[in-house]
Amino acid sequence: MREQPDERSVSAPESDDDHPTISRRRVMQATAAAGGVVALSDLGIAQEAETIELGGETSGWVGVAPDDIADEENPTLELEEGTAYELTWENLDGQAHNFVIEGSDGEELERTELMTEQGETQTLEFEATSEMAEYYCEPHAGTMRGEISVGGGQEAPADDESDAESENFFEPGAEIGLRTVAEGMTAPTDFAADPDGERYFVADQIGELWVVTDDGLQSEPFLDVSDRLVELGTFEGDYADPEQDYDERGLLGVELHPEFSENGRFFLHYSAPPNDETPEGWSHVEVVSEFRADEELTQGDPDSERVLMEFQKPQYNHDAGPMAFGPDGYLYVPMGDGGGANDDMEGHVEDWYDDNAGGNGQDVSENLLGGIHRIDVDQEGTDQPYAIPDDNPLVDEEDALPEYYAWGMRNPFGISFDSEGRLFASDAGQDLFEEANIVEAGGNYGWNVKEGTHCFSTESPSDPPTECPDSTPDEPPYNGQELQDPIVEYPHVYGEEMVGITIIGGHVYEAGQIPDLEGKYVFGDWTADPSREEPAGRLLAASEPDEGVDTGADDGNESISNESIDNESISNESVDNESISNESVDNESISNESTGNESTGNETDSGDETEIVPRDELWTMEELQVSGSEDGSFPYFVRQFGQDLEGNVYVLANRMGIPEGDTGVVMEIVPPDEGEDIEPPEEQATEDTEEEPTDDENATDNDTETDGMADDENVTADENVTGENATAGGNATVDDA
């Protein structure tokens, strides 16, 4: 899942001389260490300037001075025309922010560089003009935006009609109902259906694997691996704030063997503490292990663990999540790029694209980070406890790791196969866009050359360049393969509203009970709350256009079948990015060189007809309307999705954005008239306070997370984490990174 705190830009974009300017405009930027303001040498504003002080955080600007705006959120700034002002703001949360002043016609008048360090201050000196109308932060324009009133306290300009009638990015879509099938977990992260069709398995982030029947959760976990997890909320590595509660690690995936009813084999993906192979200072180890159930298939055997794969992780985030067995019988294992911002922090290797520092997404030689892997768990290899399918795309490629099935990914968070054999995978974005893909063998999905269909720059992630490569170098192991674009893409901000933060991959609905949803890819977004504190998830769907979308594969079945493309066809079979190239998506529509309205997608306001995403090249997207809620919304954090054998789709959610509490639920998507009422979180919190504590049958003790993982017993047994069980090439090469 995507980061909390938000991805931090390592360096800020430089100002562009083409920006509209007013006379005597200069920006001063200070460093956090100095705590002062360093003026540019040619600053020409009068020395005695009126002072304004603000605090900046994702939920809004906070007034500090003068006194009449103190403690106000997004206060109106009362200015006098012709008066010089010195506006200083402090970064309160360590997110990427800047300060922009916009005119009433949408013209950008003032703009500072992005600032990412918590506690750092930045000062803008300017002279007030009658054109000034609004101020905002570009990466968080939906929430960090206030009005400017110029001249004798005149009323702030009224919103024009086009602003008042600005459309949402997602059109209202099919109406659905939701029926709770299990509750009382902390943060459900994955779902697997028993091949017998009588029960479901649900992974909880804190380490418990639950069985769900018609009666809800069973009284005891099917398996508890909390003692093998890294201690949640305690961090190594350079990226996490040691004081944060948010954590992406834990028990993240469960998958049953296709013949589970006969052999009792199942597979877990979880986050383990550093081991002997972990480089000093790195965060943890992502582990994929096989377990076995007892003869009655009623309980998992904790002593049966056989570690299959280990991924040494430099940072705590970008850990991916669910796995999936394909129709070919192979296990598909996604893994994130290593964590941190930009794919260029410690633990990220050099790649072929010199314009961006890093990273693992475009590397297939040094480690197994930033892609999807395909392994045969029914056979053993020479150096690893699994076999490599002969038709994996890099099997015969020199200087490449043969586990790779697809690469160029940042954090593939949610993968699934539909009945046609197509492999769907979402990929969480960084500053601007979220995406989902149909994945084919040997596909390269662009990160960190591109973020979705747009170019990406590690130097200016919120100000992407207009040009970048559409293909890799024409040499092994890439052989000129083209970078494939997604079928789903949406921006973080559209108009002046927050669209979403992190895409959650889902499933194609094939149950036949909701005609308006049949055959559509159901997915979601974690929360639309920019502060990442309120449960404001989105339930979404995408449908393939009648003429289809060119994903680079001849059809979905071939993209995952045993006749997968060979190495020579990696480049030729890939999607032609020129069809949705940078010429068709003008990056200026979302860059720092745009006006405020253009940067958030109000094409009608700016007169720019360029869309913020290339809708005509994507699947048709919609927001599902929940019949049981007040306004059709979904007042939960969307954690993941599941699917049963009949094609029904389930939503895994909770009320908290951190792995605490017992608000986790599993809800089945049902016809609108079969759904239950969905209460807003405030009412739910009140009821929880008044009710007696939930009994042990359906609750996870809040102390389990801290008490159960606060000692030295959290390390997986030595016999299960050994060099012999490590992924071939993975650990040794990561150590060298």
Side-chain angles (χ1 to χ4, degrees), residues 52 68-69 74-83 85 101-104 126-135 146-158:
I52 301 172
D68 58 359
I69 67 168
N74 295 324
T76 297
L77 303 183
E78 302 282 354
L79 309 180
E80 291 288 344
E81 185 174 6
T83 299
Y85 291 88
I101 295 179
E102 183 181 86
S104 56
F126 63 93
E127 182 180 296
T129 67
S130 60
E131 293 87 357
M132 294 180 173
E134 287 187 297
Y135 65 95
E147 296 178 337
I148 295 176
S149 175
V150 180
Q154 68 186 39
E155 293 185 4

Side-chain angles (χ1 to χ4, degrees), residues 178-513:
L178 293 171
R179 181 178 66 86
T180 301
V181 299
E183 57 188 337
M185 294 158 286
T186 296
T189 55
D190 199 11
F191 176 105
D194 190 325
D196 287 341
E198 298 180 354
R199 56 182 180 167
Y200 314 122
F201 292 78
V202 178
D204 199 342
Q205 185 177 357
I206 61 173
E208 296 166 335
L209 179 63
W210 293 93
V211 168
V212 177
T213 65
D214 291 341
D215 297 326
L217 292 185
Q218 290 188 342
S219 59
E220 297 292 337
F222 182 80
L223 183 69
D224 188 341
V225 296
S226 59
D227 61 342
R228 307 177 196 208
L229 299 186
V230 65
E231 184 176 356
L232 302 185
T234 300
F235 304 96
E236 298 289 342
D238 299 331
Y239 186 66
D241 179 351
E243 303 300 321
Q244 73 183 52
D245 295 319
Y246 176 85
D247 204 334
E248 296 185 13
R249 303 167 300 175
L251 177 56
L252 304 177
V254 56
E255 189 71 7
L256 305 182
H257 192 279
E259 298 177 1
F260 173 76
S261 300
E262 288 74 39
N263 61 31
R265 299 168 65 193
F266 62 99
F267 302 84
L268 297 184
H269 166 202
Y270 65 88
S271 308
N275 58 29
D276 292 341
E277 304 294 332
T278 307
E280 183 178 357
W282 283 30
S283 171
H284 67 284
V285 184
E286 289 299 317
V287 175
V288 173
S289 285
E290 175 188 317
F291 290 83
R292 291 182 181 265
D294 59 18
E295 291 184 4
E296 293 77 21
L297 304 181
T298 58
Q299 198 72 32
D301 179 3
D303 296 327
S304 66
E305 181 175 16
R306 186 170 70 109
V307 174
L308 299 179
M309 305 182 78
E310 290 183 339
F311 303 83
Q312 299 292 342
K313 293 298 301 296
Q315 312 300 336
Y316 82 99
N317 57 346
H318 301 185
D319 301 319
M323 306 165 289
F325 274 100
D328 50 20
Y330 297 133
L331 183 63
Y332 290 72
V333 180
M335 185 48 56
D337 64 12
N342 299 320
D343 201 5
D344 67 351
M345 298 183 71
E346 181 182 13
H348 295 275
V349 301
E350 294 183 1
D351 64 10
W352 57 267
Y353 186 44
D354 293 337
D355 287 1
N356 278 350
N360 293 329
Q362 288 300 315
D363 167 75
V364 295
S365 302
E366 298 297 319
N367 58 56
L368 293 176
L369 303 177
I372 294 177
H373 311 294
R374 180 177 182 242
I375 62 174
D376 183 352
V377 297
D378 295 325
Q379 307 291 331
E380 291 191 11
T382 303
D383 300 318
Q384 66 278 325
Y386 56 83
I388 305 294
D390 292 339
D391 57 351
N392 270 12
L394 299 179
V395 162
D396 297 322
E397 195 68 52
E398 186 177 354
D399 194 29
L401 297 173
E403 286 90 348
Y404 270 107
Y405 181 79
W407 48 92
M409 297 179 179
R410 183 173 177 273
N411 188 22
F413 197 73
I415 69 171
S416 64
F417 288 91
D418 70 356
S419 62
E420 298 179 9
R422 295 180 297 181
L423 174 56
F424 291 79
S426 66
D427 197 15
Q430 181 166 310
D431 280 17
L432 299 174
F433 299 100
E434 301 296 310
E435 68 176 277
N437 303 276
I438 291 181
V439 177
E440 65 175 65
N444 185 331
Y445 294 87
W447 179 255
N448 66 356
V449 180
K450 302 178 78 173
E451 183 181 19
T453 61
H454 301 78
C455 296
F456 180 83
S457 170
T458 56
E459 293 187 357
S460 56
S462 293
D463 183 13
T466 57
E467 295 183 359
C468 59
D470 285 329
S471 61
T472 62
D474 191 15
E475 58 187 36
Y478 303 101
N479 302 318
Q481 64 176 163
E482 296 183 352
L483 307 183
Q484 301 195 31
D485 281 332
I487 60 167
V488 164
E489 182 183 39
Y490 60 90
H492 287 187
V493 178
Y494 182 79
E496 297 181 7
E497 300 297 328
M498 200 74 186
V499 177
I501 295 172
T502 304
I503 191 170
I504 309 295
H507 301 261
V508 173
Y509 181 84
E510 301 183 280
Q513 302 301 309

Side-chain angles (χ1 to χ4, degrees), residues 28 37 43 47 49-53 84-88 123-126:
M28 300 188 299
V37 176
L43 183 66
Q47 289 184 344
E50 299 289 335
T51 60
I52 301 172
E53 296 180 19
Y85 291 88
E86 180 180 279
L87 186 148
T88 300
T123 295
L124 170 70
E125 293 195 358
F126 63 93

